[in-house]
Amino acid sequence: MKTIAVIGGGITGVTTAYALARRGFSVTLFEKQRYAAMETSFANGGQLSASNAEVWTHWSTIVKGLKWMLKSDAPLLLNPKPSWHKVSWFAQFLAAIPHYEKNTVETARLAVAAREHLFSWAEQEGIDFDLKKQGILHIYRDRAGFEHAGRVSQLLAQGGLERRAVTPEEMHAIEPTLSGN
Ligand SMILES: Cc1cc2nc3c(=O)[nH]c(=O)nc-3n(C[C@H](O)[C@H](O)[C@H](O)COP(=O)(O)OP(=O)(O)OC[C@H]3O[C@@H](n4cnc5c(N)ncnc54)[C@H](O)[C@@H]3O)c2cc1C
C-alpha cells in the first residue's frame, strides 16, 4: 500500500490526511509543534463560512493596508522592513490582481465544497461542536463598502453561494441584540 506523508497538522493538513485515510491510503501526518492546530488554526473565528471567499488580491486591499499601517488598532499590520520573501510575495500578490474576479468565483466554489465535506464528516463521525447554520450577518458601515459587497455577492453567486442584502428591520429580526440604525 502507498504511504503518504502530510506535513503540517493545521486544518489543511489534518483534513487532507483524514480524506486520504478514508480513501484507503496509509497516511503519516508530521507536525512540528507538540499538538495539532497550534499555529494559524489555533483559536480562529470558528466560522465554517464560505461567504468570506472574496480574494484579497484587489487594489482596495493595498489602500486599506497602507491606511492600517498608520493605525495602532489595525486588524492586520505589516512590518515594512524589506526581505526577499516579502518582495516576491508582493510581486505575486500584484500579479494576481487581474484575476480577482475569476479567483473569487473559484474560491467560493472551493469554499462551498469544503464546507459540505466538513459538515458531512462531522455528521458521519458524530462530532458535536455547537454547529449553527443560521448564516452570517456581514455589517457594512458606509455606502461604498455596502455597494462593493453587492458586487462581490454577484461573484459569490457564480461560485454557487447565496448572499443577499437585508434591510435594517430584517437585521434586527435576525439579531435582536443589535442596536442603532
Ligand atoms: C485571527 C484569525 C481568525 C480566523 N478566523 C477564521 C474563521 O473563522 N474561519 C475560517 O475558515 N478561517 C479563519 N481564519 C483562517 C484560518 O485559520 C487559516 O486559513 C487556517 O487555519 C490555515 O490552516 P493551515 O492548516 O493552512 O495552516 P496552519 O494552521 O498554520 O497549519 C500549518 C501547520 O504546519 C506546521 N508546520 C510548518 N512547518 C512545518 C514543518 N517543516 N514540519 C512539520 N510541521 C510544520 C505548523 O506548525 C502548523 O501547525 C482565521 C485566521 C486568523 C489568523
Side-chain angles (χ1 to χ4, degrees):
M1 182 194 286
K2 282 198 173 121
T3 297
I4 298 176
V6 175
I7 300 175
I11 181 84
T12 310
V14 168
T15 51
T16 301
Y18 175 79
L20 288 167
R22 281 178 66 105
R23 288 184 191 188
F25 291 101
S26 150
V27 187
T28 306
L29 177 63
F30 293 91
E31 168 53 50
K32 70 175 177 180
Q33 301 287 357
R34 184 160 184 186
Y35 303 108
M38 287 184 77
E39 295 214 342
T40 323
S41 300
F42 180 77
N44 74 15
Q47 297 181 31
L48 292 186
S49 159
S51 61
N52 286 326
E54 180 194 8
V55 297
W56 287 18
T57 44
H58 193 275
W59 286 111
S60 63
T61 310
I62 294 179
V63 175
K64 247 189 256 173
L66 289 172
K67 283 189 190 159
W68 283 343
M69 284 174 85
L70 305 172
K71 283 182 78 176
S72 58
D73 63 344
L76 196 93
L77 275 178
L78 178 78
N79 181 338
K81 194 173 165 213
S83 69
W84 170 242
H85 177 249
K86 236 178 262 178
V87 171
S88 74
W89 188 89
F90 269 113
Q92 288 180 58
F93 187 98
L94 292 174
I97 289 179
H99 310 296
Y100 159 83
E101 291 197 353
K102 180 176 130 292
N103 286 347
T104 295
V105 173
E106 286 309 314
T107 306
R109 221 186 293 280
L110 189 66
V112 169
R115 193 180 52 178
E116 288 314 314
H117 280 301
L118 291 173
F119 286 163
S120 72
W121 290 343
E123 203 181 308
Q124 286 160 25
E125 299 287 350
I127 302 168
D128 180 12
F129 60 105
D130 295 328
L131 175 62
K132 287 191 177 152
K133 288 192 176 179
Q134 286 109 316
I136 292 176
L137 187 62
H138 291 189
I139 297 177
Y140 299 90
R141 296 182 189 280
D142 58 49
R143 176 162 287 277
F146 181 74
E147 285 173 353
H148 176 75
R151 291 190 291 276
V152 173
S153 294
Q154 290 173 3
L155 296 176
L156 298 180
Q158 288 178 47
L161 184 84
E162 189 215 349
R163 192 172 76 154
R164 62 188 178 84
V166 292
T167 61
E169 291 72 36
E170 278 178 277
M171 282 171 68
H172 287 291
I174 293 167
E175 182 48 80
T177 58
L178 279 177
S179 59
N181 58 11

